[in-house]
Amino acid sequence: MSQEWPRRPEDLARRYREQGFWEDGLLDGLLREQAARQADRPALVSGGDRLSYAELDARVDRLASGLAGLPIRRGERVLVQLPNRTEYVVTVFALFRIGAVPILALPALGPADLESLVRTGGAAAMIVAPGRGPGASSAVAERIARTAPSVRHLVVTGDPGGGEALPWDSLLSSSAAPPTGPASPERSPDDLALLLLSGGTTGTPKLIPRTHADYRYNARASAGASGVNGAAVYLAVLPVAHNFTMVSPGIVGTFAVGGTVVLSPDPSPTTAFELVEREGVTISALVPALVGPWLEEARRSGRDLSSLRVLQVGGSRLDEATARRVGPALGCRLQQVFGMAEGLNNYTGLDDPEDLVCTTQGRPLSPADEVLVVDEQGDPLPAGAVGELLTRGPYTLRGYYRARELDPLRFTPDGFYRTGDLVTRSENGDLTVVGRVKDQINRAGEKIAAVEVEEMLMALPGVRGAAVVGLPDPVLGERSVALLVVPGQECPTRDEVRAQMSERGAAAFKVPDEVRRVGRLPLTGVGKVDKKRLREELMREELTRG
Ligand code: OOB
């Protein structure tokens, strides 16, 4: 088969290795190393499970033997769609251990996307959770497993409900002998380790190839940037399959330095706060949509949150007004994280002044990250100008998996990834995200970046959520519609919005043509505002209204 994903050029790979960005070792080696160093330290807490590094590593060995026995072979892809529970961690590390490649699917992913991933990835197996109600389990997965020619095995955690699936527990072989050594000579840190989903809020997700070396580096460097060390207790609130929760520093970064990972079974602040108090959580990570509910709950709940040192927020733009409430309400430091499953992670510093932390989305993680801000012709722009962010570096992909046709579109000829994010960069290198190349409204030829208007709307009293979208308009081409979530208060009128925006110096054409109140905004699986769905819902409404 032609090359399935482009590697880095040999000279660059050599440089990343020589300069110490890439180390030897595979991802599951991180667990093995900690099990040797500190066998009895707690590694993972989830539901009733409390596993030390030695116990977790042994369980990974047992599942690895079971999977190898099926057989699942080295290099084969396996779709994993599991919730925040022990089985997810054991499954992913067992696949790393046998050199198989997990495709990490978010639980909220629909059947069409799931099927497209299985087909593009040529998955040999699917490992999924039972659905609600007996037998309902993996109805979707069973159908896909039956129809996709590459799939040989379907494994279900919990009760498979009498279908064709194998119970996950039955794969925990009694022999703890690892099927292959952790770094048998033929395996290399440059091997494909996992496939992540592109996080676009439009279109079918694409598969992102990440290697053992690049992911290990991403994890370890991220732990450094967020102050995570052996004493850290990381609470995973967002879906574990999301890159933020995996590696920024997330589960893999916490294991890399020997800390403890606690999995929250749901994203509610009530559950999270109970875990923070009980487990002495020091750090967690949220998308902006969850920050409001956390701040409200902190006011009400009597939970002791004093162990919390850092709250990371990323995945979409955090508005400044909310950012400023985080520290005082939770008694911890805010860290903004601007990351992407494709690679590049940016962090605000733990010692940065508050203004910087609340108004920028951070600086690149690695001294080897190359970033450019370019205009529509691809020419580099000076500091402060708005342009598209391009990046290349030791943990950023060079092309999607089995999608060579996208290379010229999404990468420059010299290997920079075109992020599609519109940013500004200060003289010091701090990035501010001002929108998506495509998340703009074209109102009578004037371009409006949705994010800029949303930021101003969020500063209005009582507004807890805001989204601006463009809808077709016979006169303007597109007119801008603002949707506001205003719990228990009057919704600001369009005049109030105009007054506020003009006070902030916004051009008149940026004032939304319509302001509507909504109960809530549709979110993607990981909690970003789903603009595609929002626009579709609004257009449907327009049609039925006539
Ligand atoms: C994270 O990864 P993805 O792959 O789900 O989404 C990446 C995209 C970025 O290109 C950007 O458009 C947006 O999500 N984004 C942000 C942001 N963080 C991500 N936009 C504004 N402000 C931010 N702080 O979302 C992700 C991966 C690793 C760590 C953190 C987030």
Side-chain angles (χ1 to χ4, degrees):
M1 191 176 293
S2 66
Q3 205 191 16
E4 296 185 317
W5 54 282
R7 327 272 152 139
R8 288 161 180 91
E10 202 33 62
D11 55 331
L12 209 56
R14 192 176 325 110
R15 200 166 81 213
Y16 291 151
R17 213 167 284 120
E18 280 168 7
Q19 295 180 347
F21 299 114
W22 290 355
E23 34 178 298
D24 281 339
L26 305 172
L27 281 168
D28 65 287
L30 293 172
L31 279 186
R32 184 76 95 220
E33 290 152 26
Q34 297 301 342
R37 202 171 295 144
Q38 42 167 13
D40 299 330
R41 285 272 305 158
L44 184 65
V45 177
S46 170
D49 290 338
R50 189 172 286 276
L51 302 179
S52 68
Y53 272 100
E55 287 163 337
L56 178 59
D57 192 53
R59 203 172 294 189
V60 167
D61 270 345
R62 289 173 56 201
L63 187 70
S65 299
L67 291 169
L70 277 176
I72 291 173
R73 302 183 194 89
R74 184 183 153 195
E76 286 190 319
R77 279 80 52 213
V78 176
L79 182 112
V80 177
Q81 190 184 36
L82 294 173
N84 291 18
R85 300 199 37 179
T86 304
E87 287 92 338
Y88 171 84
V89 177
V90 175
T91 300
V92 167
F93 279 84
L95 290 167
F96 293 153
R97 191 151 285 174
I98 62 172
V101 179
I103 301 174
L104 302 187
L106 295 173
L109 216 63
D113 283 342
L114 213 56
E115 179 155 9
S116 126
L117 295 175
V118 165
R119 288 184 184 269
T120 310
M126 300 173 70
I127 304 181
V128 301
R132 263 173 243 116
S137 71
S138 26
V140 168
E142 271 188 25
R143 186 184 56 72
I144 297 174
R146 223 174 299 122
T147 52
S150 62
V151 180
R152 304 192 304 270
H153 311 283
L154 174 63
V155 178
V156 176
T157 57
D159 180 5
E164 301 154 21
L166 274 169
W168 188 90
D169 283 337
S170 71
L171 292 176
L172 282 177
S173 120
S174 52
S175 124
T180 56
S184 51
E186 72 276 20
R187 291 190 57 193
S188 150
D190 297 340
D191 287 349
L192 182 60
L194 71 165
L195 290 164
L196 294 166
L197 270 51
S198 64
T201 46
T202 52
T204 315
K206 295 175 282 295
L207 289 170
I208 297 164
R210 303 290 301 261
T211 68
H212 288 272
D214 98 53
Y215 219 59
R216 266 182 79 125
Y217 172 58
N218 193 162
R220 198 180 288 284
S222 293
S226 56
V228 163
N229 56 29
V233 180
Y234 175 89
L235 178 67
V237 167
L238 300 173
V240 277
H242 192 259
N243 197 46
F244 194 3
T245 331
M246 273 297 273
V247 80
S248 302
I251 297 171
V252 183
T254 303
F255 288 160
V257 294
T260 303
V261 170
V262 179
L263 302 181
S264 181
D266 67 69
S268 84
T270 333
T271 310
F273 286 6
E274 190 189 328
L275 290 169
V276 171
E277 184 178 85
R278 197 182 80 199
E279 303 296 335
V281 167
T282 61
I283 177 166
S284 191
L286 301 179
V287 287
L290 287 174
V291 176
W294 270 51
L295 298 180
E296 308 286 316
E297 179 71 14
R299 264 206 320 218
R300 267 182 283 141
S301 102
R303 296 284 179 193
D304 176 4
L305 306 178
S306 58
S307 59
L308 200 60
R309 306 280 293 280
V310 177
L311 183 69
Q312 300 182 296
V313 181
S316 55
R317 167 79 186 233
L318 175 66
D319 68 282
E320 183 187 336
T322 306
R324 291 203 185 270
R325 291 163 61 209
V326 170
L330 297 173
C332 69
R333 221 174 284 267
L334 167 69
Q335 177 171 57
Q336 295 212 41
V337 184
F338 163 35
M340 51 203 78
E342 282 83 355
L344 183 69
N345 285 184
N346 304 278
Y347 293 88
T348 55
L350 297 181
D351 298 322
D352 281 353
E354 193 192 324
D355 278 345
L356 203 60
V357 172
C358 294
T359 58
T360 74
Q361 280 67 58
R363 297 178 291 279
L365 173 63
S366 171
D369 282 323
E370 299 172 74
V371 298
L372 294 171
V373 180
V374 303
D375 64 15
E376 282 166 17
Q377 283 70 48
D379 294 324
L381 290 163
V386 175
E388 186 183 6
L389 175 70
L390 309 187
T391 185
R392 181 169 77 169
Y395 57 97
T396 295
L397 87 174
R398 303 286 292 214
Y400 290 98
Y401 186 75
R402 293 191 177 168
R404 294 280 55 74
E405 71 286 357
L406 293 177
D407 289 350
L409 236 81
R410 303 300 304 271
F411 297 84
T412 65
D414 46 2
F416 279 81
Y417 167 58
R418 299 184 211 266
T419 65
D421 290 318
L422 290 173
V423 304
T424 63
R425 186 170 44 155
S426 74
E427 297 282 359
N428 295 327
D430 303 294
L431 297 172
T432 303
V433 182
V434 302
R436 292 280 304 159
V437 169
K438 289 195 202 96
D439 191 11
Q440 342 180 292
I441 295 134
N442 191 341
R443 185 183 185 276
E446 310 258 33
K447 308 288 189 306
I448 304 169
V451 171
E452 186 193 345
V453 181
E454 287 158 6
E455 174 83 9
M456 296 191 210
L457 296 172
M458 285 298 285
L460 286 159
V463 175
R464 290 288 173 262
V468 179
V469 295
L471 289 186
D473 183 277
V475 179
L476 299 166
E478 268 188 325
R479 72 179 193 286
S480 62
V481 181
L483 291 314
L484 300 181
V485 182
V486 205
Q489 282 198 41
E490 289 282 300
C491 183
T493 63
R494 181 160 180 268
D495 284 341
E496 283 160 355
V497 169
R498 181 191 293 117
Q500 143 92 2
M501 287 181 65
S502 84
E503 202 175 296
R504 289 181 148 225
F509 72 85
K510 292 184 182 174
V511 177
D513 295 298
E514 258 181 72
V515 176
R516 295 193 204 169
R517 179 197 199 121
V518 289
R520 44 172 221 88
L521 295 165
L523 301 178
T524 65
V526 75
K528 307 186 190 198
V529 174
D530 191 339
K531 289 264 170 105
K532 185 174 165 233
R533 211 168 100 207
L534 193 55
R535 200 170 295 110
E536 281 166 3
E537 282 174 11
L538 289 169
M539 305 248 301
R540 247 199 317 273
E541 249 175 58
E542 305 258 307
L543 284 177
T544 51
R545 265 206 235 155

